[in-house]
Structures are given as C-alpha cells and as structure tokens.
C-alpha cells in the first residue's frame, strides 16, 4: 500500500530543555528512563547508527514515510475527540484513508532489547499490514 505513513511517538515532550533533561536522565539513571523507543533509536546524544541506516534506507527505497513526534507534538497535531488514549511510546500507521492504527504498542516496544529487535518488529508489522518497504 503506497502513501502509508508510520508515526513514531516518543514518551517525551519536545524542546531543548526537555532534550537536555532526557539526556541527563539517560546518563544518571538509564534503567528508569521511560521511553523504550528513544532507548532503541538514540544514544545519549545522537541517533544510533543501525537505526539511522535503516531509517535512511526506508526513506530512499520506498514510498513509505516516517514521522517522528514527541508526545506533546503528536497530541497537538492529531487532536481529535475520536482519537483513543495511547500509552507512549507507540508506533502508529496511517493508510490512504488516513485512519490511524497501532503498529507497535508501548508494551511491545519495551520488549525489544536492541535496535535490531525494533527493526524486525517494524518490518514484520508492516508486512502484516500489507505495507511494502
């Protein structure tokens, strides 16, 4: 299905101060940092190399688009009385009709131990949704 979008919603708020606080939290108390998605895609200061290569390959080789949002940005951009309450982090997808569906829940993301696990989860879920990479 072309024209699909995958929306990654981090369990963090946007802004430079929040980013600095998140980085400090990752350094000082990494086990209590509450965004599994961020842990899988980013190190303390930068995007993880394995994730960056995957993301760039999807961008170059498919019609699929990735959108990355913090939870405050997602709630602002997609505000609707019909939108369910989500537990963050979460990965969502939209189809050509723009309906939003859960691609991977926060629980499923927390079960991923490494970046390669996240990539495998995304690839298998996209296949289940008939979305080609």
């Amino acid at each position: 299905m072309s024209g699909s979008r995958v929306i990654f919603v981090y369990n963090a708020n946007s802004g430079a101060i929040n980013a600095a606080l998140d980085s400090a939290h990752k350094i000082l108390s990494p086990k209590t940092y509450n965004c599994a998605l961020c842990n899988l895609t980013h190190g303390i200061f930068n995007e993880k190399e394995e994730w960056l290569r995957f993301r760039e390959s999807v961008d170059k080789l498919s019609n699929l688009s990735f959108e990355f949002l913090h939870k405050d940005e997602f709630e602002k951009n997609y505000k609707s009385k019909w939108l369910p309450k989500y537990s963050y982090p979460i990965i969502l997808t939209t189809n050509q009709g723009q309906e939003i569906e859960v691609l991977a829940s926060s629980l499923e993301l927390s079960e991923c131990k490494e970046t390669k696990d996240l990539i495998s989860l995304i690839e298998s879920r996209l296949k289940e949704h008939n979305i080609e990479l």
Side-chain angles (χ1 to χ4, degrees):
M1 177 186 312
S2 64
S4 296
R5 186 170 24 152
V6 177
I7 306 166
F8 296 82
V9 185
Y10 292 97
N11 189 24
N13 287 317
S14 61
I17 292 172
N18 288 318
L21 291 171
D22 287 342
S23 291
H25 192 162
K26 282 181 166 182
I27 293 168
L28 299 172
S29 187
K31 291 185 179 190
T32 64
Y33 188 69
N34 63 356
C35 186
L37 182 58
C38 184
N39 285 334
L40 294 164
T41 61
H42 289 76
I44 294 170
F45 299 110
N46 296 313
E47 200 168 6
K48 291 185 177 180
E49 186 65 32
E50 183 178 15
W51 175 252
L52 178 63
R53 283 193 314 271
F54 170 72
R55 186 179 56 73
E56 288 178 341
S57 72
V58 169
D59 194 38
K60 289 178 187 173
L61 302 174
S62 76
N63 290 327
L64 184 65
S65 67
F66 283 174
E67 181 177 5
F68 299 90
L69 298 169
H70 295 91
K71 63 184 177 183
D72 61 321
E73 296 166 324
F74 173 76
E75 290 173 355
K76 179 182 176 189
N77 293 348
Y78 290 90
K79 186 176 182 177
S80 166
K81 65 181 178 180
W82 295 282
L83 192 67
K85 285 281 189 194
Y86 293 115
S87 177
Y88 303 112
I90 194 165
I91 303 174
L92 305 163
T93 186
T94 62
N95 56 31
Q96 289 177 326
Q98 297 304 307
E99 292 106 7
I100 295 176
E101 298 177 40
V102 175
L103 196 68
S105 70
S106 59
L107 177 61
E108 292 166 318
L109 294 173
S110 70
E111 292 171 351
C112 293
K113 300 303 177 206
E114 298 179 20
T115 304
K116 67 180 180 177
D117 301 329
L118 173 63
I119 292 169
S120 294
L121 176 63
I122 292 167
E123 290 173 336
S124 67
R125 291 299 167 79
L126 290 174
K127 189 174 182 178
E128 290 172 13
H129 282 80
N130 297 315
I131 299 171
E132 294 181 30
L133 278 177

